[in-house]
Amino acid sequence: MDAVRVALLREVLAGTEWLRDTRRFAGSLRASVGPHGGGLLLVGSAEYEPWHLAAHLDDEAAWSGLPELSPTLVRHRVPDGVPAHLSVGLGRLEAAGRGETLLVVTPEAPGAGLLERVHDARRGGARILALDGGDPDLRGLSHDALAVPPDADLDLDTVQHLVSAAAGENGGPAAHSGRASRGRRRFRDRLTRLADGLTAPPPMRW
């Protein structure tokens, strides 16, 4: 989904809870990673790997001047021969600690194994955020959560686009600086060229 479609979707959703909630959650994400200059871990379930959100957050980090949004994708299964930046396994969650943020994204129940590792990360001092189908156990471990139930008007992929776009938007005085304005223009120009029908993970710089 490109920037034009995101803008159109926002127009359609204007005045709804979805627009308010995705912006609130994006603000929570930005506030979590901002003070620490990075340390964002992103993980899905064993069946759902949020590589698309990882790529969009990485783009937002580069184009909006917020490098702390660039995530480390944590994977349940690491294929042989993949680059080092795509070879981070679940053991990374056990080492998560104070100053880091763990974002869990999954449409289905996370499973006991992932919940245990999320609990370990929280106990180590990491801040936990969840973007999921509304699992009560995951919500209980999260400092902030946004639920997208299966019967919701929007699907999880669409909500991820709204969250990632909003996360890269500065709400403070810096948004009026020349550097921030140029960054946002570059973001808009480049994001409009992204294909909406990708069938394989795009190359990732991180």
Side-chain angles (χ1 to χ4, degrees), residues 2-8 10-11 19-20 22-31 33-34 56-57 59-69 160-176 180-181 183-185 187-188 191:
D2 58 34
V4 173
R5 291 174 184 170
V6 169
L8 290 174
R10 284 174 168 175
E11 289 183 11
L19 195 58
R20 181 197 67 198
T22 52
R23 283 177 168 162
R24 179 201 59 75
F25 187 77
S28 181
L29 172 60
R30 190 170 58 239
V33 300
H56 279 297
L57 286 173
D59 287 340
E60 288 286 351
W63 301 338
S64 64
L66 297 170
E68 58 269 21
L69 285 175
Q160 288 179 61
H161 283 292
L162 292 170
V163 169
S164 61
E169 295 174 350
N170 274 314
H176 301 291
S181 296
R184 292 308 304 159
R185 285 197 297 271
F187 161 66
R188 293 298 182 189
L191 191 55

Side-chain angles (χ1 to χ4, degrees), residues 72-120:
T72 296
L73 181 62
V74 179
R75 313 181 73 178
H76 289 253
R77 294 175 295 275
V78 179
D80 294 334
V82 298
H85 63 283
L86 296 178
S87 301
V88 180
L90 288 175
R92 178 64 179 84
L93 301 186
E94 298 174 3
R98 191 171 303 278
E100 294 184 298
T101 299
L102 172 60
L103 174 57
V104 184
V105 181
T106 175
E108 64 263 340
L114 179 58
L115 286 173
E116 182 177 351
R117 293 177 185 271
V118 172
H119 180 266
D120 289 341

